[in-house]
Every structure is written in structure tokens, then in C-alpha cells.
Amino acid sequence: MLASTNRTPLKVLTPTLADRLRVFNAAARNLQAHGIRVQAFHPANNLLVITPESGQRLINLGHTDGYQRHGTAGSTRYNVQFQGVTLEWREPISAARPADWSRATLH
């Protein structure tokens, strides 16, 4: 078996990636310190998946920026920015409906 005589250090964590991970980890820790349940961590995409209850709580507290709502066939996906990280949660389309949706339908 041939072995390389040059021992070059393998640099996987670049300064840019290290900074992104620092911001990502700080946001995740801050969320968890405030009782927000994180369901999935996606550091490569700078994305944290949280519970729908946690997402609504953050919106009501005003700790987020860039609120986006994306309707799909079976659920609604929400995205917000929190301390430089994207938070995402999904709610079934039947989750919360305004009170006037329950009125009788006239034909």
C-alpha cells in the first residue's frame, strides 16, 4: 500500500462556515432557552423546524422578521427569520379558521 509522504492538514471548517454555525447554534440555543421546541436542525440550509404552537407564540411576541405564508394542498407552511436563521413550521389547513367560516352556507 502506498502512503503519501506529504501531510497537509485537512481544513473542513472554513472561517465562513464557522461563523454561520456559530449564528445557527446561538439561535437554536436561544429558542430552546425560551421554551421553543425545535423539531429538526438543518444547519446546511440555515433552517430550524419548530412546532406550530411555538411559531405562533414567536409571532405574537414579535421576536421574528420576514413573516411568509405559503399555502399548499394539505397544509400551510410558515417561514420567519429569527436571529439570522430561518424558522419553519407547518399547520394543517384545518388547524385554525376564523369564526365567520363556521356560518351556514347559503345556496
Side-chain angles (χ1 to χ4, degrees):
M1 179 180 277
L2 298 176
S4 173
T5 56
N6 295 337
R7 298 270 178 181
T8 57
L10 182 61
K11 210 172 196 184
V12 176
L13 192 60
T14 64
T16 303
L17 180 58
D19 190 48
R20 273 186 70 193
L21 287 174
R22 182 187 55 76
V23 169
F24 183 85
N25 288 337
R29 285 188 193 108
N30 196 2
L31 286 171
Q32 290 176 332
H34 287 91
I36 303 299
R37 184 167 174 241
V38 179
Q39 294 180 323
F41 297 84
H42 301 284
N45 297 330
N46 203 32
L47 173 74
L48 293 167
V49 179
I50 61 175
T51 63
E53 298 81 18
S54 297
Q56 292 302 327
R57 191 167 127 216
L58 281 173
I59 295 295
N60 293 336
L61 293 173
H63 292 308
T64 59
D65 295 317
Y67 178 82
Q68 293 181 352
R69 181 175 179 256
H70 308 278
T72 62
S75 65
T76 303
R77 179 174 46 95
Y78 297 90
N79 290 62
V80 295
Q81 291 294 313
F82 177 79
Q83 298 180 351
V85 176
T86 301
L87 304 181
E88 178 180 292
W89 69 92
R90 294 179 185 268
E91 292 180 358
I93 57 173
S94 61
R97 297 186 178 188
D100 63 340
W101 285 19
S102 61
R103 291 182 296 173
T105 305
L106 300 174
H107 294 280

